Amino acid sequence: MRIEPADDAMFRERDAWRYDPPYDFYNSDGMPVKNPERFFAARDDDGALVGFYFFELHDDALFYGFGLRPDLTGRGLGERFVLAGLELARPVYGQRRVVLDVAAFNTRAVRLYRRLGFTETGRHTETFDGRGAVEFIDMEKPG
């Protein structure tokens, strides 16, 4: 897998991804991206987009976001994908605490993050048009 800065083509391709319910919550539906310079594209050896990463500094922590192409989810690829993003971030952002949030209904992701050493630090709820209130689990991993 090669990881490179995101470009407009990556965002257009990601916008076309369609996850099955309940994971369709993660469909971007063409919503504008804030801070596109903080995104990276993950491509396979043939150049096909397999996922993306997002990094943003929050005080002393690094907020970590990512997404795997819908047809690749649920196939045991998540651990390697998440760890590859962490490896990408380390030389750029240093050894620091990593935080993320995950929709509480996404139990398979929560299990993966716990297996990788993330712990729950709290919960919060956000409201989305067309979806209503969604509960999120805040998680962190020491640096």
Side-chain angles (χ1 to χ4, degrees):
M1 182 170 66
R2 83 175 186 266
I3 302 171
E4 59 195 24
D7 59 14
D8 290 341
M10 191 235 36
F11 289 112
R12 284 192 302 275
E13 188 171 346
R14 187 202 60 156
D15 286 347
W17 290 355
R18 292 293 172 260
Y19 295 92
D20 292 331
Y23 305 103
D24 59 338
F25 169 79
Y26 296 108
N27 293 344
S28 70
D29 295 327
M31 295 286 292
V33 174
K34 294 179 184 178
N35 305 312
E37 71 281 0
R38 296 181 182 152
F39 282 81
F40 294 84
R43 299 189 179 280
D44 66 15
D45 293 337
D46 296 325
L49 184 65
V50 297
F52 66 88
Y53 299 105
F54 173 86
F55 304 101
E56 184 174 66
L57 289 174
H58 284 222
D59 298 322
D60 66 336
L62 178 65
F63 181 83
Y64 183 31
F66 45 87
L68 191 60
R69 197 173 70 209
D71 63 307
L72 299 176
T73 62
R75 296 175 50 189
L77 304 172
E79 182 172 333
R80 189 174 76 178
F81 186 76
V82 172
L83 291 174
L86 291 173
E87 287 299 314
L88 170 70
R90 187 168 291 120
V92 176
Y93 298 102
Q95 206 54 20
R96 65 178 63 232
R97 184 170 58 98
V98 177
V99 296
L100 58 81
D101 56 26
V102 58
F105 70 78
N106 193 345
T107 56
R108 67 184 183 194
V110 172
R111 277 193 311 271
L112 170 65
Y113 306 151
R114 285 186 174 135
R115 193 168 62 245
L116 294 177
F118 285 85
T119 58
E120 182 174 337
T121 58
R123 291 179 181 242
H124 69 278
T125 301
E126 294 182 34
T127 303
F128 297 87
D129 291 340
R131 290 231 178 244
V134 176
E135 182 182 28
F136 286 87
I137 300 172
D138 307 314
M139 303 186 86
E140 75 173 46
K141 179 180 176 69

